[in-house]
Amino acid sequence: MATPIDILVTLDAGYVPPLKVMLWSLHANNLKRSFHVWLVHESLTDAQVAEVRALTDGLGWELTALPVEVDLTDQPALIKRYPPAMYFRLLCGQVLPADVHRVIYLDPDILVINDVTPLWELDLQGNMLAAAAHRGVTKLVDSVNQIRLGTNTSYFNSGVLVIDVDQARRNIHLNDITAAIAAYHDYLILPDQDILNFLYGESILEIDEEVWNYDTRKYLVYQTRTLTEHDIHWVMSHTVLLHYCGTPKPWEANSDSKFTGLFLNYQQQVQRFLSVPAPTEA
């Protein structure tokens, strides 16, 4: 089997159940690949980590849980109001072992529905990161965010990232992040994503959102942009990462979107898998 793909996840306790669904979907659609999951967190209990480990062990994957404490004692109140875990994906270079050189970061509210290998093998062309930009029918959202943040790049979504960890170790530091928050906090709407774009937008290679970070709220937008070519059949054949952005989330009772049923099916599958008793030795 090929060398494991390194997957980075950062989350709090509320996202442990959807994380397990995401990891199961990753397994189900990448049966010939193995993965090493790096779980970076601030406050998960041993029992919550054990929940995730029960799944990764069952799949034959490695799981490394890395609890991180960020000391914000000397920072102003406006910095302290943002949970440090929000920035763990960007600070992974300061957390992951030196022999980890590349990771794919995935939000836990994602389904993997096709092969992730091309993303893992992506040529970053010297860039530190790769990410997708979520746009509407036009590029108006880019223009608005360029004015708001004073940038000249696309406005990238932080839910899926390919990270050159060696570059991140050299170039991404907590002090830069806290300084940017202190200086521009009045302009931050989505703080972690805004900081990603403000500080590191020029080091990001853009990847196709409809393949690598498909916003499930925007099915009709994508169809309009492609003159209905990218219908549900196209999505199931070509899209790799479905991202359940916004609310309601697909595991919530009031969710009833085109993609809710798909999530619920994977949720049932992982629940059934985890409920099967481990075989006993003869």
Side-chain angles (χ1 to χ4, degrees), residues 120-218:
W120 176 243
E121 297 177 347
L122 177 71
D123 180 0
L124 286 174
Q125 302 173 26
N127 290 282
M128 182 167 61
L129 303 149
H134 283 167
R135 298 190 177 95
V137 177
T138 69
K139 293 187 177 182
L140 179 61
V141 66
D142 279 347
S143 301
V144 170
N145 285 300
Q146 286 168 359
I147 294 170
R148 180 170 64 88
L149 297 174
T151 59
N152 56 15
T153 63
S154 298
Y155 184 74
F156 297 102
N157 182 271
S158 60
V160 175
L161 300 171
V162 182
I163 305 174
D164 180 329
V165 182
D166 294 321
Q167 286 198 56
R169 287 189 185 98
R170 297 192 297 267
N171 300 320
I172 302 180
H173 305 285
L174 180 61
N175 288 343
D176 295 334
I177 292 173
T178 54
I181 294 173
Y184 300 102
H185 62 93
D186 288 342
Y187 303 96
L188 302 180
I189 298 174
L190 300 171
D192 57 334
Q193 196 159 278
D194 284 351
I195 291 297
L196 167 72
N197 283 274
F198 178 72
L199 289 179
Y200 310 113
E202 293 186 356
S203 300
I204 299 176
L205 174 71
E206 184 165 350
I207 53 180
D208 186 348
E209 67 170 306
E210 289 191 61
V211 175
W212 299 115
N213 195 338
Y214 187 104
D215 186 339
T216 58
R217 301 170 298 180
K218 295 168 60 176

Side-chain angles (χ1 to χ4, degrees), residues 27-257:
H27 157 75
N29 293 290
N30 293 268
L31 293 173
K32 295 183 179 180
R33 297 296 314 222
S34 181
F35 297 87
H36 189 148
V37 179
W38 299 89
L39 174 56
V40 179
H41 67 94
E42 184 183 21
S43 58
L44 294 183
T45 66
D46 290 344
Q48 289 158 347
V49 173
E51 278 189 57
V52 182
R53 192 176 301 281
L55 175 59
T56 54
D57 284 355
L59 299 175
W61 298 354
E62 290 186 75
L63 171 69
T64 301
L66 297 172
V68 178
E69 293 184 7
V70 178
D71 184 5
L72 297 178
T73 304
D74 297 328
Q75 296 292 340
L78 68 93
I79 302 292
K80 296 177 185 178
R81 78 184 184 204
Y82 296 128
M86 184 182 296
Y87 305 103
F88 285 171
R89 73 195 77 175
L90 294 178
L91 294 167
C92 66
Q94 314 305 319
V95 178
L96 295 173
D99 61 353
V100 178
H101 305 291
R102 172 181 286 213
V103 294
I104 297 175
Y105 168 82
L106 296 175
D107 271 353
D109 58 348
I110 280 173
L111 278 185
V112 184
I113 62 171
N114 279 300
D115 183 9
V116 299
T117 302
L119 187 63
W120 176 243
E121 297 177 347
L122 177 71
D123 180 0
L124 286 174
Q125 302 173 26
N127 290 282
M128 182 167 61
L129 303 149
H134 283 167
R135 298 190 177 95
V137 177
T138 69
K139 293 187 177 182
L140 179 61
V141 66
D142 279 347
S143 301
V144 170
N145 285 300
Q146 286 168 359
I147 294 170
R148 180 170 64 88
L149 297 174
T151 59
N152 56 15
T153 63
S154 298
Y155 184 74
F156 297 102
N157 182 271
S158 60
V160 175
L161 300 171
V162 182
I163 305 174
D164 180 329
V165 182
D166 294 321
Q167 286 198 56
R169 287 189 185 98
R170 297 192 297 267
N171 300 320
I172 302 180
H173 305 285
L174 180 61
N175 288 343
D176 295 334
I177 292 173
T178 54
I181 294 173
Y184 300 102
H185 62 93
D186 288 342
Y187 303 96
L188 302 180
I189 298 174
L190 300 171
D192 57 334
Q193 196 159 278
D194 284 351
I195 291 297
L196 167 72
N197 283 274
F198 178 72
L199 289 179
Y200 310 113
E202 293 186 356
S203 300
I204 299 176
L205 174 71
E206 184 165 350
I207 53 180
D208 186 348
E209 67 170 306
E210 289 191 61
V211 175
W212 299 115
N213 195 338
Y214 187 104
D215 186 339
T216 58
R217 301 170 298 180
K218 295 168 60 176
Y219 175 73
L220 292 178
V221 170
Y222 294 138
Q223 275 209 302
T224 300
R225 282 200 327 216
T226 63
L227 302 178
T228 72
E229 178 185 349
H230 291 186
D231 59 11
I232 195 65
H233 300 277
W234 185 96
V235 172
M236 296 308 297
S237 295
H238 295 87
T239 296
V240 178
L241 302 175
L242 288 175
H243 193 178
Y244 292 85
C245 302
T247 56
K249 296 299 185 186
W251 56 88
E252 296 174 344
N254 59 337
S255 175
D256 190 19
S257 77

